[in-house]
């Protein structure tokens, strides 16, 4: 009842510092929303407090309106005012992740099977290194690939240390001076030190003239020495498996993954009739760098490539385990050469390499 004796209806009432809303039936709004405002059990408007309604949490600000599309501390409120939880939030051009309690996350977070890193402000890291791990353009930690700035990261996402994979080409003298190498700093190209072949010509020359059989002989020799040292049966070379790895080594330059560019798995590189001969089939993949100059022979290149890829897999627990499977097994390896950088007369060549091991495994 108002001061003039009339019944209040569909209007606000301010009493003893609190706000109330009288509905059209003359009753106080209670435990309910009126527009953007919430009225508690005793009828007064919620202010500066949290409210749970229909399974969602809201925050009512000093003026009584719910927070929306804004931050309150480490919590974010969506368009309809409900607190974001178990979800991503885009705010001011950055992405944030809110956990099941609605709290903004920082540090490493595994979300739907992918790893992300949220910096101190909660913003998702993109296109940058976080320690030994690289976060891609979508924020997902890269795994088993080569980063945009040319470094190899393993299946666990960690940078494979020991050598730089690529020397990025840059027209900026400052950037060239800041490029990092872990082996040696080759001499930059100049007019008085012209290469024997262009980078493209060297790549074509290697792929057309390299003896893949020699690489297989060298690699299988190293592999069998390691297996014999551990009392494991030796493997034999398989021309059938070579058909598969010869395709796979070229595909790795397109997509550095055990999934082929067409979306099928690695073993489909062999026709079904031939792949069915092997009860077990495993693939290893890598892409080490070799340094070439005009004095190095093809035989030296082949031997170095075999040793490089063997050592890469030997020093990687997952790859080593695959190479050391015991059983009546055959194997084949192939290398596809890709020109990477030219420094004077020295070529930096990446060796995309695939190994298939197939047969009857004992363990």
């Amino acid at each position: 009842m108002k001061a003039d004796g009339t019944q209040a209806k569909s209007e606000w009432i301010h009493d003893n510092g609190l706000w109330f809303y009288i509905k059209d039936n003359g009753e106080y709004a209670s435990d309910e929303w009126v527009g953007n405002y919430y009225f508690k059990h005793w009828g007064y408007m919620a202010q500066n407090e949290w409210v749970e309604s229909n399974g969602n949490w809201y925050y009512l600000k000093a003026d009584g309106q719910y927070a929306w599309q804004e931050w309150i501390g480490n919590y974010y409120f969506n368009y309809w005012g409900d607190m974001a939880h178990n979800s991503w939030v885009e705010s001011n051009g950055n992405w944030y992740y809110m956990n099941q309690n609605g709290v903004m996350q920082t540090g490493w977070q595994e979300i739907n099977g992918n790893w992300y890193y949220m910096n101190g402000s909660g913003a998702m890291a993109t296109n940058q290194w976080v320690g030994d791990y690289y976060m891609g353009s979508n924020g997902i930690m890269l795994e088993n690939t080569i980063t945009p700035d040319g470094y190899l990261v393993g299946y666990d996402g960690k940078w494979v240390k020991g050598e730089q994979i690529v020397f990025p080409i840059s027209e900026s003298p400052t950037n060239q001076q800041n490029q990092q190498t872990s082996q040696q700093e080759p001499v930059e190209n100049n007019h008085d030190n012209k290469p024997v072949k262009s980078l493209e010509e060297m790549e074509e020359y290697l792929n057309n003239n390299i003896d893949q059989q020699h690489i297989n002989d060298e690699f299988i020799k190293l592999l069998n020495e390691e297996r014999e040292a551990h009392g494991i049966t030796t493997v034999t070379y398989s021309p059938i498996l070579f058909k598969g790895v010869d395709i796979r080594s070229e595909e790795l330059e397109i997509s550095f993954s055990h999934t082929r560019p067409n979306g099928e798995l690695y073993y489909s590189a062999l026709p079904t009739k031939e792949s069915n001969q092997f009860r077990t089939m495993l693939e290893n993949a890598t892409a080490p760098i070799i340094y070439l100059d005009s004095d190095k022979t093809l035989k030296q290149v082949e031997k170095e490539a075999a040793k490089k890829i063997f050592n890469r897999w030997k020093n990687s627990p997952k790859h080593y385990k695959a190479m050391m499977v015991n059983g009546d097994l055959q194997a084949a390896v192939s290398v596809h050469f890709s020109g990477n950088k030219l420094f004077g007369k020295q070529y930096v060549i990446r060796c995309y390499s695939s190994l298939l091991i197939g047969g009857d495994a004992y363990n």
Side-chain angles (χ1 to χ4, degrees):
M1 191 72 67
K2 298 196 291 186
D4 61 4
T6 60
Q7 177 68 48
K9 292 182 180 181
S10 302
E11 59 184 292
W12 290 84
I13 299 293
H14 190 247
D15 185 25
N16 291 326
L18 299 173
W19 284 98
F20 301 83
Y21 186 81
I22 311 301
K23 300 185 289 186
D24 58 5
N25 62 2
E27 295 182 353
Y28 287 99
S30 174
D31 292 326
E32 62 185 290
W33 292 94
V34 176
N36 294 346
Y37 304 87
Y38 188 83
F39 294 86
K40 304 184 73 174
H41 183 71
W42 299 108
Y44 59 89
M45 181 186 74
Q47 294 174 274
N48 294 321
E49 59 185 295
W50 290 85
V51 166
E52 184 179 13
S53 175
N54 297 321
N56 292 314
W57 283 95
Y58 301 81
Y59 188 81
L60 288 304
K61 299 185 290 185
D63 62 1
Q65 295 196 64
Y66 62 68
W68 64 289
Q69 288 189 315
E70 63 184 287
W71 293 92
I72 301 293
N74 288 334
Y75 301 88
Y76 187 84
F77 296 85
N78 295 316
Y79 181 81
W80 298 109
D82 56 304
M83 179 191 73
H85 64 286
N86 285 334
S87 62
W88 289 96
V89 166
E90 184 179 14
S91 175
N92 297 322
N94 292 313
W95 285 94
Y96 303 82
Y97 191 78
M98 323 306 288
N99 71 4
Q100 62 182 0
N101 297 318
V103 179
M104 178 191 75
Q105 298 299 284
T106 60
W108 286 100
Q109 302 295 324
E110 184 177 16
I111 303 167
N112 296 327
N114 295 313
W115 282 98
Y116 301 82
Y117 185 81
M118 312 299 175
N119 62 33
S121 69
M124 180 183 73
T126 61
N127 296 318
Q128 68 183 81
W129 286 93
V130 177
D132 288 341
Y133 303 86
Y134 192 88
M135 319 313 292
S137 59
N138 59 0
I140 297 175
M141 181 188 74
L142 300 189
E143 300 175 12
N144 190 33
T145 190
I146 296 169
T147 64
D149 53 351
Y151 294 85
L152 181 68
V153 291
Y155 287 93
D156 58 357
K158 192 172 184 178
W159 169 37
V160 180
K161 298 182 179 180
E163 62 178 319
Q164 184 177 353
I165 302 305
V166 63
F167 295 91
I169 299 175
S170 171
E171 296 179 357
S172 167
T174 301
N175 286 345
Q176 290 176 355
Q177 293 168 5
N178 290 337
Q179 289 172 7
Q180 300 176 9
T181 64
S182 59
Q183 288 195 344
Q184 56 185 325
E185 194 69 42
V187 179
E188 284 289 351
N189 203 356
N190 58 64
H191 296 295
D192 299 324
N193 192 20
K194 294 181 181 179
V196 177
K197 297 178 183 293
S198 71
L199 190 62
E200 293 76 16
E201 288 172 334
M202 177 59 80
E203 176 183 318
E204 182 179 3
Y205 176 75
L206 288 172
N207 285 317
N208 289 340
N209 293 278
I210 211 76
D211 184 352
Q212 296 282 358
Q213 184 61 59
H214 183 218
I215 294 177
N216 271 273
D217 291 344
E218 291 291 331
F219 177 85
I220 290 178
K221 177 184 175 183
L222 292 170
L223 176 57
N224 281 337
E225 286 175 353
E226 184 73 13
R227 291 171 69 90
E228 287 177 335
H230 290 80
I232 300 174
T233 57
T234 58
V235 302
T236 58
Y237 169 74
S238 168
I240 294 176
L241 290 177
F242 180 76
K243 294 179 183 179
V245 292
D246 202 34
I247 294 171
R248 289 291 298 130
S249 62
E250 292 190 32
E251 290 180 341
L252 289 173
E253 183 176 14
I254 302 170
S255 175
F256 196 79
S257 167
H258 293 303
T259 301
R260 303 179 63 198
N262 64 5
E264 297 178 351
L265 290 177
Y266 62 88
Y267 51 75
S268 68
L270 281 175
T272 303
K273 184 178 180 180
E274 294 183 332
S275 64
N276 284 345
Q277 299 178 36
F278 304 95
R279 294 179 61 184
T280 298
M281 190 181 298
L282 303 171
E283 182 188 46
N284 276 355
T286 191
I289 284 292
I290 59 174
Y291 297 87
L292 307 181
D293 54 46
S294 58
D295 297 327
K296 190 170 287 187
T297 67
L298 283 177
K299 291 298 181 184
Q300 290 174 325
V301 172
E302 293 156 5
K303 190 169 184 176
E304 181 179 349
K307 186 176 181 180
K308 282 254 184 176
I309 60 179
F310 174 77
N311 286 334
R312 268 288 178 83
W313 290 327
K314 181 181 178 181
N315 294 323
S316 169
K318 289 183 179 180
H319 294 92
Y320 184 74
K321 183 178 180 180
M323 289 199 305
M324 298 296 282
V325 169
N326 199 8
D328 183 12
L329 301 170
Q330 301 177 56
V333 68
S334 178
V335 179
H336 173 70
F337 296 91
S338 177
N340 198 293
K341 181 72 174 176
L342 175 62
F343 292 97
K345 291 184 179 180
Q346 188 175 58
Y347 302 85
V348 183
I349 305 293
R350 186 182 296 127
C351 308
Y352 287 98
S353 312
S354 172
L355 165 69
L356 284 178
I357 295 182
D360 294 328
Y362 303 156
N363 56 0

